[in-house]
Amino acid sequence: MDNTLNQTPSDEQIGYDPSAVEGKWQQSWQDIGTNTTDVAAAPDPYYALMMFPYPSAEGLHVGNLFAFVGNDIYGRFQRLQGHNVFEPFGYDAFGIHSENYALKVGKHPMDLIPQNIANFRRQVQRSGLMVDWSKEVDTTNPDYYKWTQWVFLQLLKQGLAYKKQAAVNWCPSCKTVLANEQVVGGACERCDTPVEQRFLSQWFFRISDYAERLLANLDSLDWSETTKTAQRNWIGRSEGAEISFPVKKAGAEAIRVFTTRPDTVFGATYLVVAPEHPLVASLTTGVYRTAVDQYLARSAKQDVVTRKSSTEKTGVFTGAYATNPATGSDIPIWISDYVLMEYGTGAIMAVPGHDERDFEFAKVFGLPIVRVVCAQGEEPSAPIDEAFTENERGIIVNSGKFDGMTVATAKREIIAMLDEKGAGHPVVNYRLHDWCISRQRYWGPPIPIIYCDDCGAVPVPENDLPVVLPHVEDFKPDDSGVSPLARHEDWYRVPCPECGKMARRETDVSDTFLDSAWYFLRYPSVGIDDKPFDSTITKKWLPVNSYIGGNEHAVLHLLYSRFVTMVLNDMGFIDFEEPFKRFRAHGLIIRNGAKMSKSKGNVVIPDHYIEKWGADAFRTYLMFLGPFEEGGDFRDASISGVKRFLDRLWASVHSAVDSQSNGPGDPDVMRKLHQTIRKVGDDIPRLSYNTAVAAMMEYMNVLRRGERASSRSEVEPLVQLASPFAPHIAEELWEKLGHSESVFDAGWPKFDSALATDERFELAVQVNGKTRGKLSVPRDITQDDAVSAAMAEESISKFLSGPAKKIIFVPGRLLNLVG
RNA sequence: GCGGGAGUGGCGGAACUGGUAGACGCGCUGGACUUAGGAUCCAGUGGAGCAAUCCGUGGGGGUUCGAGUCCCCCCUUUCGCACCA
């Protein structure tokens, strides 16, 4: 056997050749089907899911592997607890990422993706994940995206898909639509041309209809709080009021505004509407028209990204006035791009005294600033030199009969007053916008719609799915100014499914997030061709028991998946409305204290490490380098510690088996063993993998004390404990121990609390809170005995001048003598 | 600006509900075995001090018999969202 790791291995190491052991067991798992789940028969299903990766050309990133291994350990542990664990794998292979890369290297994504997938599969297999390879998913496969298109049609059927004009980033030089991340500092990332805003007709999903439910359900989910908070913030529920301001012009429509501070309505000294507001044209009067038109043209040209990031206030007066329903006075109506059409009503009442943005705007344009909220003891007429936004301790002033009220009371009372006049009512607003799923791109599933001059937008009949993405050579954006598929008349010209007249396919493709919003439903049903998911299998396996993935998807992917699941639930396809019972986000891996990047050349390439150290050592090191949910710092030098641990594990098992030490085990060692069984069993479910590994190392140190060979009762359970981390060596040693079944079908070692506890323990003795000594005492020692034992120690009693005035005794822990 | 984290030896990190700070590992120092050692094994390793002891968890206050952990103020750092009314 050739050992490439050490030129002259020590006696103990002879025989442990990770690459040979790992190759052997990977082959065996495949041959025997160790990791294949019988989804129909499994009596005790457990679905351990990890976020599927985008299969990049560079191959598996160590961050991916970190996540996968973390999930794998969890899944393997659940299997050892007796569950039938299903751990599938797949590829999120559509999207702008792949498309851009294909453009860059001048290859076609349809050629590139299968290569990348093959490479990913190879890398994942050699990492020893417990993946059921019979259930692979590839989002670019027509057998998969057929059902992505089906999902779209279901949403359409429910009235949750609609079309509207929306702004996109447009590069006038590349003549193409850009994603937000392709806009750098207001310019196209490729050619540096300033990006413009264009309006295209696009498909949206009405996720905002589900805002309240998406928010409310969060409370009952077993997700990390940080992720839930991110979702709550994204949904952005805010309570306030909608208030109408009548326009001073015959027949004009009133302007409706949304505010969270109705208590400040007496301080509203002007109104602002967004440049895109539908009333802009009718509000603008004669002499102001030129200025308004100029302003509108200017903001229309500006790209979405810079417009939202610049904070300097610009605006223009319409010439029109509205009446403040609280004060009855007339206030001017302005237009400014600091008001967003997408939020609220696209119009605001400006209260410069109590809103920073309004204050800035008022300063720039010399508009009146009125104080309507005071801090306790402040003079109501005091001048305002910055917006006073405090509302906890604020008192209402200059607001007629509402003066003296707290902000909270005034909110209620003023809404009631406006409501009575028919000028306002309470409203809840959400930040969450509808989900735009149209992409003017090539590399995605075509949206299954056909436009007919007579019948309008007609859904492709479900029987006609999939609408196959054609293999076209010119998927690159060019001067034509349309999405790539729109250049292929032979593809988009089809008869209308309703009337048969020649019609035109939708040439946009759907967002990649739609592909990943339902893939977990597909996995258990892979292989079933006539439906997206089988209802019996789905009932058995879903919702997902445990989901692990990156926090970069804390918001969008998880929210979209929840939304799609709710809709399918409402339609009766599934009987649950939340897809992931438990979700945990893993941390980020950095290297030597710095972020990894290709340009810095400090990227960890898993293949290299697996070749050098073996997959088991690499896996275990990844889990050991830091807390799983926080990530950690990858340092090459540190892997050796983990490798040494595996070497010792190998040596201990071999010496126990070869020396036929079949005795009961040393009591001290057995105590530590049972403490370790408990610790590892507690740590794995809470993803505290680093401390689980440390505990096993600690046990190894105890095991190795003294000269004697270990007995098999001391080492055998350790093989089981280590198996989720280092599955290959565990299988090999399990076989060496004489077992013929897989270690993963052998269960988890039994914890015996009687064996784990010692009759004596170390009592920490403190004097005035400072530790002054440790005493080895019986576990059930009484307080009095403990005190006398402590006082008998000169090194302790010397810190006390007399008898202790107060004694704090924590049984099993410490004694504190206060003098 | 708003929101979420995080600051502990030379380094990565332990310390679950306040209760022996620094587990485990890397590195380092010394030793053993060796032709050799980047292998293996043994011992040591927060700082100061010969020692008793003192000081130590970003900084400053506080609560407590006792604070890395709880409360208040501040600093640094990182991630996310960025004019959301």
Side-chain angles (χ1 to χ4, degrees):
Chain A
M1 204 180 280
D2 132 90
N3 188 326
T4 52
L5 280 157
N6 305 293
Q7 286 159 342
T8 45
S10 75
D11 290 349
E12 283 187 338
Q13 268 188 300
I14 291 179
Y16 181 38
D17 172 1
S19 68
V21 169
E22 289 166 11
K24 169 181 164 184
W25 288 100
Q26 283 162 19
Q27 189 62 51
S28 161
W29 293 334
Q30 203 177 323
D31 294 347
I32 300 169
T34 314
N35 302 334
T36 308
T37 312
D38 184 341
V39 288
D44 185 6
Y46 194 99
Y47 193 169
L49 182 66
M50 55 195 141
M51 286 183 184
F52 64 167
Y54 149 68
S56 72
E58 293 85 42
L60 201 57
H61 186 267
V62 67
N64 291 329
L65 200 55
F66 179 70
F68 300 160
V69 170
N71 180 64
D72 191 53
I73 288 167
Y74 191 80
R76 286 183 184 275
F77 177 75
Q78 293 302 336
R79 175 167 175 165
L80 289 163
Q81 301 300 310
H83 300 294
N84 301 103
V85 175
F86 178 47
E87 190 179 317
F89 198 78
Y91 314 92
D92 189 16
F94 266 138
I96 196 161
H97 238 88
S98 315
E99 190 177 304
N100 286 348
Y101 183 80
L103 287 169
K104 197 172 125 194
V105 300
K107 286 190 176 164
H108 197 281
M110 281 191 186
D111 301 327
L112 221 43
I113 289 297
Q115 292 171 20
N116 294 354
I117 285 180
N119 188 39
F120 261 63
R121 188 186 297 120
R122 177 190 64 80
Q123 289 186 296
V124 168
Q125 279 171 347
R126 77 184 301 200
S127 310
L129 300 193
M130 197 176 72
V131 166
D132 181 348
W133 291 102
S134 68
K135 297 287 195 290
E136 220 176 5
V137 153
D138 165 8
T139 57
T140 67
N141 188 324
D143 292 342
Y144 180 83
Y145 69 70
K146 169 182 182 176
W147 301 115
T148 306
Q149 293 168 337
W150 176 87
V151 169
F152 174 90
L153 294 178
Q154 303 318 304
L155 277 119
L156 186 68
K157 218 185 271 179
Q158 279 293 87
L160 294 170
Y162 66 98
K163 243 190 149 179
K164 75 165 187 201
Q165 294 277 322
V168 293
N169 302 303
W170 180 262
C171 172
S173 158
C174 302
K175 297 209 188 312
T176 186
V177 170
L178 300 177
N180 280 344
E181 54 269 33
Q182 291 177 297
V183 181
V184 180
C188 172
E189 67 168 359
R190 232 175 317 175
C191 65
D192 230 30
T193 313
V195 170
E196 295 176 0
Q197 201 180 156
R198 272 210 179 179
F199 285 85
L200 297 176
S201 178
Q202 315 205 56
W203 284 98
F204 284 81
F205 284 159
R206 260 180 238 286
I207 190 172
S208 58
D209 281 9
Y210 282 69
E212 192 55 52
R213 214 158 134 199
L214 288 165
L215 183 68
N217 278 9
L218 283 174
D219 295 335
S220 60
L221 295 178
D222 176 15
W223 288 17
S224 41
E225 263 325 299
T226 54
T227 311
K228 290 207 239 183
T229 307
Q231 295 230 336
R232 286 191 189 106
N233 292 343
W234 190 263
I235 295 168
R237 182 181 199 275
S238 58
E239 284 182 20
E242 200 174 286
I243 303 177
S244 285
F245 286 71
V247 174
K248 295 270 289 180
K249 194 175 172 188
E253 203 180 313
I255 294 180
R256 295 174 305 113
V257 306
F258 172 72
T259 177
T260 54
R261 296 293 306 274
D263 53 298
T264 62
V265 68
F266 285 83
T269 53
Y270 61 100
L271 294 185
V272 188
V273 299
E276 298 82 10
H277 197 283
L279 294 180
V280 162
S282 65
L283 286 170
T284 308
T285 56
V287 290
Y288 298 99
R289 181 136 292 153
T290 322
V292 167
D293 286 348
Q294 270 173 15
Y295 187 74
L296 296 187
R298 204 195 90 143
S299 54
K301 260 195 91 163
Q302 224 172 30
D303 72 285
V304 187
V305 179
T306 28
R307 176 172 158 183
K308 286 198 172 181
S309 58
S310 87
T311 51
E312 83 195 59
K313 297 287 178 285
T314 60
V316 64
F317 177 48
T318 58
Y321 289 84
T323 310
N324 183 325
T327 62
S329 43
D330 293 339
I331 56 176
I333 304 171
W334 285 70
I335 300 169
S336 172
D337 64 4
Y338 85 92
V339 173
L340 309 173
M341 196 58 221
E342 313 91 85
Y343 187 77
T345 60
I348 60 150
M349 64 174 207
V351 185
H354 306 285
D355 180 280
E356 282 162 25
R357 298 151 301 181
D358 297 343
F359 182 84
E360 263 179 70
F361 190 82
K363 279 283 175 200
V364 173
F365 295 101
L367 292 156
I369 302 173
V370 172
R371 176 189 286 280
V372 289
V373 184
C374 266
Q376 209 90 40
E378 205 175 0
E379 198 43 49
S381 58
I384 293 193
D385 31 61
E386 60 176 339
F388 178 69
T389 56
E390 170 81 53
N391 59 29
E392 285 295 305
R393 298 173 294 118
I395 299 298
I396 302 298
V397 296
N398 300 326
S399 300
K401 62 172 179 171
F402 302 98
D403 285 1
M405 288 185 185
T406 64
V407 166
T409 315
K411 274 186 186 173
R412 228 175 23 243
E413 295 294 321
I414 290 180
I415 292 177
M417 177 270 286
L418 292 168
D419 211 349
E420 217 164 284
K421 290 192 190 174
H425 56 274
V427 156
V428 174
N429 230 303
Y430 299 91
R431 231 182 86 132
L432 181 66
H433 297 142
D434 279 346
W435 174 13
C436 175
I437 62 136
S438 294
R439 295 291 180 271
Q440 294 71 39
R441 288 267 161 180
Y442 169 68
W443 196 230
I447 293 174
I449 290 287
I450 292 167
Y451 298 104
C452 169
D453 288 341
D454 295 345
C455 312
V458 180
V460 173
E462 290 180 21
N463 287 339
D464 293 350
L465 296 181
V467 178
V468 176
L469 179 69
H471 188 296
V472 303
E473 283 312 320
D474 59 335
F475 64 91
K476 304 176 189 63
D478 68 4
D479 287 358
S480 65
V482 288
S483 61
L485 290 176
R487 283 180 237 133
H488 292 266
E489 198 180 339
D490 52 333
W491 180 78
Y492 70 70
R493 293 254 312 162
V494 284
C496 167
E498 270 174 23
C499 69
K501 193 178 149 183
M502 278 319 272
R504 182 190 166 101
R505 282 193 192 283
E506 167 67 68
T507 53
D508 284 355
V509 299
S510 62
D511 183 7
T512 327
F513 277 114
L514 183 58
D515 304 327
S516 57
W518 76 281
Y519 76 113
F520 46 90
L521 287 166
R522 180 64 182 163
Y523 271 139
S525 296
V526 164
I528 291 166
D529 296 331
D530 58 344
K531 47 195 160 198
F533 42 85
D534 175 85
S535 58
T536 313
I537 291 176
T538 303
K539 208 173 177 108
K540 194 180 182 83
W541 288 94
L542 282 116
V544 169
N545 297 84
S546 162
Y547 194 26
I548 284 177
N551 231 339
E552 68 274 17
H553 296 301
V555 175
L556 295 182
H557 161 63
L558 289 172
L559 202 64
Y560 293 153
S561 299
R562 297 179 60 214
F563 166 62
V564 168
T565 303
M566 280 180 193
V567 175
L568 293 175
N569 176 54
D570 288 349
M571 296 183 79
F573 288 110
I574 50 181
D575 62 355
F576 53 91
E577 60 174 57
E578 284 294 336
F580 315 120
K581 281 190 222 167
R582 173 184 151 113
F583 170 74
R584 294 290 183 277
H586 65 256
L588 240 58
I589 303 282
I590 55 170
R591 184 158 188 208
N592 300 322
K595 212 170 166 169
M596 277 183 253
S597 75
K598 261 184 292 178
S599 56
K600 277 190 233 154
N602 63 346
V603 175
V604 172
I605 309 212
D607 277 327
H608 299 171
Y609 289 84
I610 290 175
E611 269 146 40
K612 186 164 182 199
W613 301 97
D616 283 337
F618 189 56
R619 288 168 59 107
T620 310
Y621 175 60
L622 285 176
M623 296 301 106
F624 182 60
L625 59 73
F628 184 67
E629 291 180 78
E630 284 163 40
D633 193 357
F634 190 101
R635 287 175 187 259
D636 290 24
S638 301
I639 304 175
S640 58
V642 166
K643 177 60 167 45
R644 205 165 290 151
F645 167 72
L646 295 179
D647 285 342
R648 289 169 177 175
L649 177 64
W650 180 274
S652 307
V653 172
H654 277 77
S655 83
V657 172
D658 297 345
S659 66
Q660 300 195 323
S661 318
N662 296 328
D666 177 85
D668 288 339
V669 175
M670 293 310 276
R671 185 178 321 114
K672 187 68 183 176
L673 172 64
H674 281 271
Q675 289 167 354
T676 307
I677 292 172
R678 178 176 50 199
K679 171 90 175 134
V680 175
D682 286 348
D683 283 354
I684 293 179
R686 55 189 189 100
L687 309 186
S688 188
Y689 299 140
N690 54 335
T691 55
V693 174
M696 290 189 279
M697 288 174 164
E698 237 178 285
Y699 175 60
M700 176 61 75
N701 291 339
V702 171
L703 199 59
R704 282 159 34 84
R705 260 190 326 235
E707 296 287 296
R708 63 190 192 90
S710 301
S711 92
R712 64 181 294 143
S713 56
E714 292 167 352
V715 297
E716 194 168 88
L718 180 59
V719 172
Q720 292 168 284
L721 298 185
S723 64
F725 295 86
H728 312 87
I729 193 175
E731 291 276 36
E732 181 70 21
L733 295 175
W734 196 244
E735 186 183 66
K736 172 81 182 172
L737 284 158
H739 301 281
S740 52
E741 91 230 284
S742 165
V743 68
F744 296 102
D745 293 322
W748 192 247
K750 293 269 173 298
F751 166 66
D752 185 336
S753 72
L755 285 175
T757 32
D758 191 4
E759 62 280 10
R760 300 185 75 78
F761 78 102
E762 292 255 288
L763 177 75
V765 182
Q766 300 182 334
V767 178
N768 295 325
K770 284 193 175 170
T771 305
R772 295 301 184 183
K774 295 165 195 180
L775 299 175
S776 175
V777 298
R779 182 148 291 280
D780 54 1
I781 190 169
T782 62
Q783 175 172 323
D784 290 347
D785 289 350
V787 172
S788 29
M791 293 308 282
E793 291 292 321
E794 151 67 16
S795 58
I796 293 166
S797 57
K798 72 174 177 188
F799 291 99
L800 277 166
S801 43
K805 293 197 190 81
K806 189 172 175 184
I807 294 161
I808 285 113
F809 181 63
V810 185
R813 285 215 108 109
L814 62 67
L815 175 70
N816 187 9
L817 305 169
V818 185

